[in-house]
Amino acid sequence: MRLAAFFVAAATGAWAAPNSLFGVSMGPVKAGQPASVPMQIIVLLTLLVLLPAALVSVTPFLRIAVVLHFLRQALGTQTAPSNQVLTGLALFLTILIIQPVAGEIYTKAWDPMERGEITPTQAYEQGSQPLRTFLLRFAREKDIATLLEVSRTPAPARPADLDLKVLVPAYVLSELKTAFQIGAVLFLPFLVIDLVVASVTLSIGMVQLPPVMLSAPFKILLFVLVDGWTLVVGSLVKSFY
């Protein structure tokens, strides 16, 4: 819970103002003095509200969830696997991929701040660096340039100096583009099966039976024979390394 709370704070900049939280004064926080219990409770409760949005937007969950949705649509199974199963799979794969980054954030920022060695502002600066490095690996230069232009923010001297308010939406745009590209590739073999089945059914005059009902078993059979789940999940995880 503590690690998740700081991870959200690093993504959203919630600790950018160390002595106040949404206009409520928390009192001075100095190095060597741990944060008060009321402040910790308010911060954690606030970050719990922001946790789902941060989990979806600044982690591999976005790409994995979109690709799995496209895969289910390509198979034509509609509700199998269910949304809960796909979300759970995407969540645990996200934890597997993001664990090194989250561990580095905890070691460099949350743990020292909890011991009172650094202030929340210093913790935010130190904790945002691993997250910024991760986002920079997958954010496209074109998307970053577009967000800089839209926000009228001058380009920094180094990519590592990009503000998270620009880097996070650029990462989201880049991940959406990548996920849609992967989804389009996944659709192609199943589309070929749909076309073949539709052509055969029309040629023999089976117009009353929808071709989708006939092609679904063939698509599922093909997916099982090639061990599709292992291929898709393995490729998704490897795309982040």
Side-chain angles (χ1 to χ4, degrees):
M1 179 64 69
R2 297 174 180 177
L3 180 56
F6 183 81
F7 184 71
V8 179
T12 60
W15 284 334
N19 296 329
S20 64
L21 184 65
F22 302 110
V24 179
S25 177
M26 294 290 118
V29 179
K30 299 179 181 180
Q33 177 182 355
S36 63
V37 175
M39 178 181 178
Q40 294 180 12
I41 294 175
I42 293 176
V43 170
L44 289 177
L45 290 177
T46 303
L47 295 180
L48 283 176
V49 178
L50 301 175
L51 182 60
L55 178 65
V56 170
S57 59
V58 297
T59 64
F61 183 89
L62 175 61
R63 181 190 302 186
I64 296 172
V66 173
V67 170
L68 292 180
H69 172 75
F70 273 115
L71 176 61
R72 187 176 63 180
Q73 293 296 319
L75 286 171
T77 54
Q78 301 301 323
T79 58
S82 64
N83 290 330
Q84 291 83 357
V85 173
L86 293 183
T87 302
L89 177 59
L91 178 61
F92 285 108
L93 290 177
T94 299
I95 295 174
L96 176 66
I97 297 170
I98 207 67
Q99 184 178 0
V101 179
E104 188 175 358
I105 292 175
Y106 179 82
T107 302
K108 291 184 177 180
W110 181 267
D111 193 32
M113 189 194 69
E114 191 178 39
R115 295 197 304 266
E117 299 175 356
I118 58 178
T119 64
T121 302
Q122 294 172 330
Y124 169 74
E125 293 297 331
Q126 296 182 15
S128 61
Q129 288 303 321
L131 178 63
R132 186 178 286 108
T133 301
F134 174 80
L135 297 180
L136 280 171
R137 289 175 55 195
F138 303 102
R140 302 173 187 265
E141 294 182 5
K142 182 178 180 180
D143 296 326
I144 295 176
T146 300
L147 268 298
L148 287 173
E149 181 181 355
V150 170
S151 62
R152 298 182 180 179
T153 303
R158 301 180 305 163
D161 297 330
L162 278 169
D163 196 343
L164 285 178
K165 69 180 181 182
V166 174
L167 189 55
V168 169
Y171 170 81
V172 173
L173 291 176
S174 300
E175 286 296 281
L176 285 175
K177 183 177 181 179
T178 302
F180 272 68
Q181 290 175 344
I182 298 174
V185 174
L186 286 175
F187 254 101
L188 292 178
F190 301 109
L191 180 61
V192 172
I193 295 177
D194 285 332
L195 292 175
V196 172
V197 172
S199 299
V200 172
T201 54
L202 289 175
S203 64
I204 62 178
M206 295 178 58
V207 295
Q208 295 181 352
L209 188 63
V212 177
M213 294 184 62
L214 293 176
S215 63
F218 293 101
K219 291 190 291 186
I220 296 174
L221 181 61
L222 173 64
F223 191 71
V224 172
L225 289 177
V226 300
D227 199 8
W229 286 112
T230 301
L231 291 176
V232 172
V233 172
S235 300
L236 279 174
V237 173
K238 291 178 183 178
S239 65
F240 289 96
Y241 290 97

